[in-house]
Amino acid sequence: MTSVMRKIVDRMMFALFIFIAAVVTAFLVYFIFYIVSRGYTAFSWTFLSTAPHGIKMEGGVLPMIVSSVYLTLLTLLIAVPLGVGGGIYLAEYAGKGRIVESIRFAIDLLSSVPSIVFGLFGLVLFVQVMGLKYSMLAGALTLTLMVLPIILKISEESFRAVPDAYREASLALGATKEQTIFRVVLPTAIAGILTGAILAAGRAFGETAAVLYTAGMAPLAPVSPLEGGRTLSVHLYLLATTGHLEEAYRVAVVLLVIILLFNLASNWIMNRYRRKFVSEAI
Amino acid sequence: MKRSRRVSPTQAVLFMMTLISVVGLALIFFFVIREGYPIFSKVGLGKFLLGREWLPTRGLFGALPLILTSLMLVVGSVLVATPLGVGLAIYMVEYSPRPVRRFLKTIVELLAGIPSVIFGFFGITVFIPLTRHYFGSSGFGLIPAIVVLAIMILPTITAVSGDAIRAVPRENRLIVQALGGTRWQTVRRGVLPSAFRGIITGTILAEGRAIGETMAVLMVLGNAPMMPKALNQPAAAMPSQIALDMAYATGDHRVALFALGAVLLVFAAVLIFAARRVGRQRR
């Protein structure tokens, strides 16, 4: 290749990469704009605070918001302690043995299980065998298994990111290993744990397939964890596939805005945390 | 061996919390296979996997059309998403200035966080009319499904291959530059060969995501469980068919859906095995 050709190819590849980056960015912007511009009427108090009525599901989405929030919080309530506990174990206690390797493999496998398979499993074990029926609890238990790998991985990473000097300082002062972990390492890693929890919340909030046959589709606001409910995502699915597009746009806006807020929040915390951590470590 | 390695109660509790994942995974395999197994003994494993007719009302449970469609979706979406995803990763790591990289990182993370039901809805309102217009059919079918899936798996490919590209030692780049290489030659000769395994790992993980994707596919594929004939015709994939039929399936039909779930589990497990193998040999 002559040097002119090389320069031309170099320029062309550079242009191609910029083009790809621009296309992906433009797509996301268009995607958000498209949905928000058609469903922005969702930002009205009546829509957010009343129940749907009639065959076209007009009116509001209050019961769906309640169901989604209920389900997400219940999931986090179960999954965060388990995930953080597991993360502590993997980061602070686990060695490199066979058993730990197989546990890690199982976690990888769990994160690859398709969401509808989680739904099938939840339907059999929680809804039927355990007799929970279509309920918030059955949905939350199913979602717990789904989001557990996310929380586990991110909390393990944030524990590992805590410098050993912290642990050594604590141990040198006579603290036990438990005291060191829970009073020194855990508080330092809290931002990472929070990030994991928010990501998990976003995942649970937007999930549909695993929830359809575990939390149900009844368009009523649940009170007890043994009652079922229809989440925003399930509501959007039902509206979109039955041709109620106008209502669907509005539900999509509510869902999209909440999910984007979750993601921006976790992003923000992580960036702040990294900055703080780097400066402290120096 | 040190004898002082006493296990504290805290450690035991934390270990059990870790084990929940393993137990959960085992329960998933156990229950899905237990509920689906009877169809294998009734129809036969071979006939289930290779049967060409899926007509539950007539007692025909041939899953081949669904399996083939799922595989076509995986191959199609990975073919579309890989050049874009890897290109984006190369741009982010090798070319872009810091603020642009952070901006793009946010874009990719936001894209990864959007729920599949919203992608499906976007597919119905945007891609279906486009497909109808350009390919003259109902609009539902493999084309919109592949496009939607490609967008959904792009963040996975970008994230994993970006990590691999970042992990390439600086010397690789310096050597090519010292020999007078251009920026692209540095990437092409110095970076990509070392990052190749990581990029493959990313595409395998993306395949895992694509094969299990349910809602977005369900909403745009048209759900006609027949052998896929053309890209612009409706078809049905494994996960979407399960989600659709579960609403009313009883008896053998329900059993067959769990068997499909078991097949999906096996596919997902094989892909994770493959990703780990490819990923490990890098070191």
Side-chain angles (χ1 to χ4, degrees):
Chain A
M1 241 195 296
T2 66
S3 86
V4 180
M5 270 296 284
R6 291 193 317 157
K7 279 228 167 74
I8 293 174
V9 172
D10 188 48
R11 281 298 156 92
M12 276 170 51
M13 292 311 291
F14 182 54
L16 177 68
F17 289 136
I18 289 202
F19 176 72
I20 292 174
V23 165
V24 174
T25 308
F27 173 79
L28 185 71
V29 172
Y30 175 72
F31 183 92
I32 296 172
F33 173 78
Y34 176 86
I35 289 175
V36 172
S37 69
R38 282 167 178 74
Y40 68 91
T41 46
F43 298 115
S44 85
W45 185 241
T46 24
F47 185 71
L48 298 174
S49 68
T50 56
H53 54 81
I55 198 149
K56 285 179 73 181
M57 284 290 164
E58 290 154 310
V61 286
L62 183 65
M64 289 79 191
I65 294 178
V66 172
S67 295
S68 288
V69 172
Y70 201 136
L71 192 60
T72 305
L73 289 180
L74 196 56
T75 303
L76 290 184
L77 201 66
I78 309 169
V80 170
L82 289 176
V84 174
I88 294 178
Y89 182 81
L90 288 174
E92 306 288 329
Y93 290 97
K96 284 205 158 166
R98 265 251 169 94
I99 299 174
V100 176
E101 263 307 296
S102 358
I103 292 178
R104 285 182 195 283
F105 183 52
I107 295 170
D108 274 1
L109 267 179
L110 191 62
S111 69
S112 79
V113 171
S115 54
I116 185 65
V117 177
F118 278 111
L120 287 179
F121 163 73
L123 174 65
V124 179
L125 180 60
F126 302 130
V127 176
Q128 293 172 349
V129 172
M130 285 171 60
L132 294 174
K133 305 216 173 59
Y134 288 156
S135 63
M136 290 291 114
L137 187 57
L141 289 171
T142 310
L143 287 178
T144 294
L145 283 180
M146 208 174 107
V147 300
L148 205 48
I150 305 176
I151 303 179
L152 265 168
K153 281 220 176 94
I154 298 182
S155 39
E156 186 192 348
E157 267 171 36
S158 17
F159 282 111
R160 285 193 188 281
V162 175
D164 272 338
Y166 285 40
R167 295 181 186 84
E168 285 153 11
S170 166
L171 292 171
L173 290 170
T176 63
K177 179 153 188 175
E178 274 89 42
Q179 284 170 327
T180 304
I181 290 173
F182 289 100
R183 305 241 180 113
V184 177
V185 183
L186 187 66
T188 319
I190 199 76
I193 295 169
L194 205 59
T195 311
I198 297 174
L199 279 180
R203 194 71 201 280
F205 200 89
E207 179 54 37
T208 314
V211 169
L212 263 178
Y213 302 114
T214 52
M217 303 172 207
L220 302 166
V223 179
S224 118
L226 295 176
E227 289 173 47
R230 180 194 291 188
T231 64
L232 281 170
S233 50
V234 172
H235 193 48
L236 172 57
Y237 164 64
L238 294 173
L239 290 173
T241 49
T242 49
H244 298 129
L245 293 186
E246 226 166 280
E247 292 296 309
Y249 280 116
R250 300 213 261 171
V251 178
V253 167
V254 178
L255 195 55
L256 189 63
V257 167
I258 295 175
I259 294 283
L260 290 182
L261 287 179
F262 275 134
N263 280 281
L264 288 174
S266 73
N267 215 309
W268 185 73
I269 294 173
M270 208 57 201
N271 284 336
R272 263 184 71 99
Y273 164 75
R274 284 224 175 98
R275 213 171 305 152
K276 178 180 154 228
F277 218 83
V278 169
S279 62
E280 261 187 23
I282 297 165
Chain B
M1 288 290 273
K2 278 190 286 181
R3 287 199 61 192
S4 60
R5 270 188 59 187
R6 195 174 55 85
V7 175
S8 71
T10 319
Q11 184 176 355
V13 170
L14 293 174
F15 181 66
M16 285 199 275
M17 287 170 133
T18 318
L19 274 190
I20 300 271
S21 297
V22 184
V23 174
L25 183 75
L27 286 173
I28 290 173
F29 271 85
F30 173 76
F31 277 105
V32 172
I33 292 175
R34 188 191 76 164
E35 298 291 308
Y37 182 76
I39 207 77
F40 297 139
S41 50
K42 190 163 182 177
V43 183
L45 182 62
K47 277 203 169 148
F48 181 79
L49 293 178
L50 298 175
R52 296 165 136 260
E53 283 185 295
W54 178 268
L55 291 167
T57 45
R58 286 172 42 195
L60 291 173
F61 299 104
L64 190 62
L66 308 173
I67 296 173
L68 268 185
T69 304
S70 278
L71 294 179
M72 286 172 76
L73 289 177
V74 169
V75 172
S77 59
V78 167
L79 282 180
V80 176
T82 302
L84 293 174
V86 175
L88 185 59
I90 293 174
Y91 178 71
M92 285 170 70
V93 180
E94 301 292 329
Y95 290 83
S96 65
R98 212 182 151 87
V100 177
R101 185 182 327 155
R102 283 184 59 165
F103 172 75
L104 288 173
K105 194 166 170 278
T106 309
I107 295 279
V108 172
E109 282 168 4
L110 288 182
L111 202 58
I114 293 174
S116 57
V117 69
I118 299 188
F119 277 115
F121 177 55
F122 185 79
I124 289 183
T125 54
V126 176
F127 292 137
I128 298 288
L130 282 177
T131 317
R132 191 184 303 142
H133 186 257
Y134 287 106
F135 298 96
S137 60
S138 69
F140 291 91
L142 287 158
I143 292 174
I146 285 172
V147 174
V148 170
L149 274 177
I151 298 164
M152 295 180 71
I153 63 176
L154 187 132
T156 309
I157 296 179
T158 300
V160 181
S161 47
D163 284 344
I165 294 170
R166 212 167 297 120
V168 175
R170 231 167 80 87
E171 294 85 69
N172 286 27
R173 298 174 178 88
L174 295 178
I175 289 168
V176 184
Q177 278 164 11
L179 293 171
T182 61
R183 203 133 70 136
W184 165 241
Q185 281 176 319
T186 308
V187 172
R188 172 77 187 78
R189 307 283 171 200
V191 176
L192 288 186
S194 307
F196 185 69
R197 280 186 177 279
I199 293 170
I200 297 295
T201 308
T203 58
I204 298 174
L205 290 174
E207 284 166 18
R209 200 165 165 209
I211 203 157
E213 178 47 46
T214 311
M215 299 316 290
V217 171
L218 168 61
M219 292 163 84
V220 299
L221 191 55
N223 308 311
M226 294 170 295
M227 292 298 270
K229 289 189 193 72
L231 289 178
N232 64 354
Q233 293 301 316
M238 289 188 278
S240 53
Q241 198 64 28
I242 298 173
L244 190 70
D245 285 6
M246 213 49 214
Y248 63 91
T250 52
D252 282 349
H253 188 187
R254 186 176 179 282
V255 174
L257 294 179
F258 275 91
L260 276 182
V263 174
L264 263 183
L265 267 182
V266 171
F267 271 110
V270 168
L271 287 172
I272 284 290
F273 262 111
R276 278 178 76 104
R277 272 200 80 98
V278 174
R280 192 176 301 140
Q281 281 168 3
R282 184 155 36 125
R283 266 149 251 153

